[in-house]
Amino acid sequence: MASETVDKLLHSFVTKAAIETAREQCPDKTLDKETVEEIRQKADTTAKELSQTLHKIRKEGKNGEMAVSHLTLDRVTRMKKALDMKTYEININEKEKTAQINRDGQEMYPAINLGSSGNIMQASDLQTASIVVEAIILVLEIIGIEVPDNVKEVKKVIKIVTDELNNENTLRKDVEQIRKDQDDFPAMAKDIFVLVIDCLGDGLFWKITKALLSDMPWYDWILTSAKISAFVALLVATGGLADIAILVTKLVNAAFFLEKLVNLGTLNSMKMSH
């Protein structure tokens, strides 16, 4: 009986969070009864999927594939590849003091001469921004939201984050914690979710997500925002951060992401030597 009561309270909490978020994300739109009902359904589906995933993680433990066996193969594949170079790579040549910023073998931003502390900071901010954006993409893919691979949108969100880095210390601290935990994958994965939740708290998450999904019609955006809110609300309410971090550890290929963290360490060392 107590368990049923808790489940009902959780369900109510998650649904209300989803509806409230949908209203906040489209304040100029009136949500009719049909829309609200569809939001409820999206929140329900998202919550049920996450509950199943968390249950299976706790049951299956180390078997990432089994933990997501209730999801479609396409979705699982996207989750696995969520950290596969979604923004760009920065190649640092310490000897020549240069940083090349490429995407798919093509120059994305002009090369940076690392001969001054200002330029090193510029390269560091670009690397930090890519880590923040890819962390958010990872969480979106885990929720089941497909993010288009579009260079124009990537540049847009990188600008949003680099601008924010001038005003916000929490982002830098969160990314630095991810970097420090790069040799402890479960801790690093949990740090990624902490970063995303912090971004939700200050509104940066929604700015980035809206930019990444800028071609999405407003009605789809309402439902998408509801799914995101339901997922995060349930994850936090059930203490599922550590569990979902295990899933990331067992399922997601993080090789490229780890290279970015190594780069940050290199740039930090270069800053200290100036």
Side-chain angles (χ1 to χ4, degrees):
M1 189 70 173
S3 177
E4 287 181 13
T5 302
V6 170
D7 286 345
K8 285 181 181 178
L9 285 171
L10 262 180
H11 179 270
S12 175
F13 169 70
V14 168
T15 302
K16 285 179 180 177
I19 293 170
E20 184 62 27
T21 298
R23 287 195 169 117
E24 288 174 356
Q25 291 305 309
C26 289
D28 57 331
K29 302 292 183 182
T30 300
L31 305 187
D32 56 26
K33 287 183 179 180
E34 289 78 10
T35 303
V36 171
E37 182 54 35
E38 191 160 0
I39 289 170
R40 289 183 193 278
Q41 290 174 9
K42 288 290 183 185
D44 277 348
T45 300
T46 301
K48 284 175 184 174
E49 284 181 353
L50 178 57
S51 293
Q52 276 186 277
T53 301
L54 292 175
H55 174 73
K56 287 185 176 182
I57 291 168
R58 290 160 186 165
K59 183 180 177 182
E60 304 294 342
K62 297 179 180 179
N63 193 328
E65 296 281 354
M66 285 298 296
V68 291
S69 59
H70 56 293
L71 304 177
T72 65
L73 180 60
D74 177 61
R75 183 166 161 192
V76 173
T77 300
R78 293 203 318 269
M79 287 167 65
K80 288 180 179 180
K81 296 180 177 180
L83 291 177
D84 279 5
M85 201 62 66
K86 294 292 184 177
T87 55
Y88 44 76
E89 61 179 329
I90 298 182
N91 297 313
I92 298 171
N93 187 319
E94 291 185 74
K95 187 176 179 180
E96 296 183 5
K97 293 188 176 180
T98 59
Q100 305 282 340
I101 304 137
N102 299 322
R103 175 183 166 90
D104 298 329
Q106 302 293 318
E107 183 180 86
M108 184 160 173
Y109 295 104
I112 299 173
N113 184 308
L114 302 175
S116 69
S117 56
N119 284 4
I120 294 170
M121 180 59 76
Q122 180 190 2
S124 180
D125 281 357
L126 281 172
Q127 191 67 92
T128 299
S130 75
I131 290 167
V132 172
V133 172
E134 291 188 13
I136 288 175
I137 289 173
L138 169 65
V139 173
L140 291 174
E141 292 285 6
I142 287 174
I143 294 171
I145 298 162
E146 188 170 1
V147 179
D149 193 10
N150 184 308
V151 66
K152 184 179 74 172
E153 309 303 347
V154 169
K155 283 189 172 182
K156 196 185 298 181
V157 295
I158 291 298
K159 177 70 165 58
I160 290 170
V161 179
T162 51
D163 286 348
E164 192 71 21
L165 286 171
N166 294 324
N167 312 311
E168 176 63 61
N169 285 324
T170 303
L171 265 185
R172 294 188 190 278
K173 289 177 182 176
D174 285 347
V175 171
E176 179 59 15
Q177 190 59 52
I178 293 170
R179 189 192 69 79
K180 286 179 178 177
D181 285 336
Q182 63 185 292
D183 294 327
D184 182 350
F185 202 0
M188 186 190 82
K190 188 175 179 181
D191 295 338
I192 288 173
F193 279 87
V194 170
L195 179 148
V196 170
I197 289 169
D198 283 344
C199 287
L200 267 164
D202 63 17
L204 180 62
F205 175 91
W206 294 113
K207 289 180 187 176
I208 292 171
T209 305
K210 272 185 175 179
L212 287 170
L213 305 174
S214 60
D215 290 335
M216 183 177 281
W218 74 267
Y219 190 81
D220 290 342
W221 171 245
I222 282 178
L223 299 180
T224 297
S225 66
K227 285 177 64 175
I228 293 168
S229 180
F231 181 95
V232 173
L234 185 61
L235 187 68
V236 173
T238 57
L241 276 179
D243 298 303
I244 211 74
I246 291 172
L247 176 65
V248 172
T249 302
K250 300 301 176 185
L251 200 64
V252 178
N253 176 14
F256 289 123
F257 191 78
L258 289 170
E259 287 180 11
K260 297 175 192 298
L261 300 177
V262 171
N263 277 349
L264 265 191
T266 300
L267 291 166
N268 285 347
S269 297
M270 293 178 77
K271 276 188 282 187
M272 291 176 67
S273 66
H274 260 262

